[in-house]
Amino acid sequence: MTFKVKDYRIEGPERQTTMTLATHEFIRRFLMHFLPKGLHRIRHYGLFAGRARAEHLVRMRALLAMTRPAATPADNANAQKPDALAQPCPCCGGRMLIIELFARGCRPQSRPTPPAVIRIDTS
């Protein structure tokens, strides 16, 4: 089955192209846009979505009789230098997130991840 598609990553006249798919693959992709009766897509909804997030957090804390978490001295130190621990990745240059720092003589707080098992099919 061949049909016209619009590739939003491309600018200009090459944006409109044609695509050929097997019939069952076309139907599978087409039906991914439909939900069963009675269900609603909730992509842009929720308590933490959109510009009302701060208002929702205040309301949730009020309903749960919670106060806003107090700032700790560690938070204040990080607030002065927000990118103190931000470092570029040595491989790709992207943002590298530091998960844990190891102090000399201290034990790690989390367990190491098990090594990945590599299986080679020689058949």
Side-chain angles (χ1 to χ4, degrees), residues 24-102:
H24 67 278
E25 179 63 16
F26 173 80
I27 293 172
R28 185 189 74 80
R29 290 185 186 191
F30 184 74
L31 290 177
M32 286 173 57
H33 293 80
F34 293 91
L35 292 173
K37 187 175 182 178
L39 295 181
H40 296 271
R41 190 173 304 272
I42 56 171
R43 182 176 179 182
H44 299 291
Y45 299 97
L47 297 173
F48 298 114
R51 63 180 179 211
R53 178 179 182 217
E55 297 166 11
H56 289 154
L57 286 172
V58 170
R59 176 112 170 103
M60 284 187 284
R61 285 189 182 111
L63 291 172
L64 294 171
M66 292 178 60
T67 59
R68 186 173 194 147
T72 61
D75 292 339
N76 292 336
N78 290 340
Q80 294 170 358
K81 301 179 197 176
D83 292 333
L85 298 178
Q87 298 176 2
C89 174
C91 297
C92 67
R95 183 174 179 208
M96 182 170 65
L97 298 176
I98 298 175
I99 297 172
E100 183 176 354
L101 294 174
F102 298 102

Side-chain angles (χ1 to χ4, degrees), residues 11-24:
E11 294 293 330
E14 299 86 25
R15 188 175 216 170
Q16 292 279 342
T17 60
T18 59
M19 180 183 282
T20 303
L21 292 174
T23 306
H24 67 278

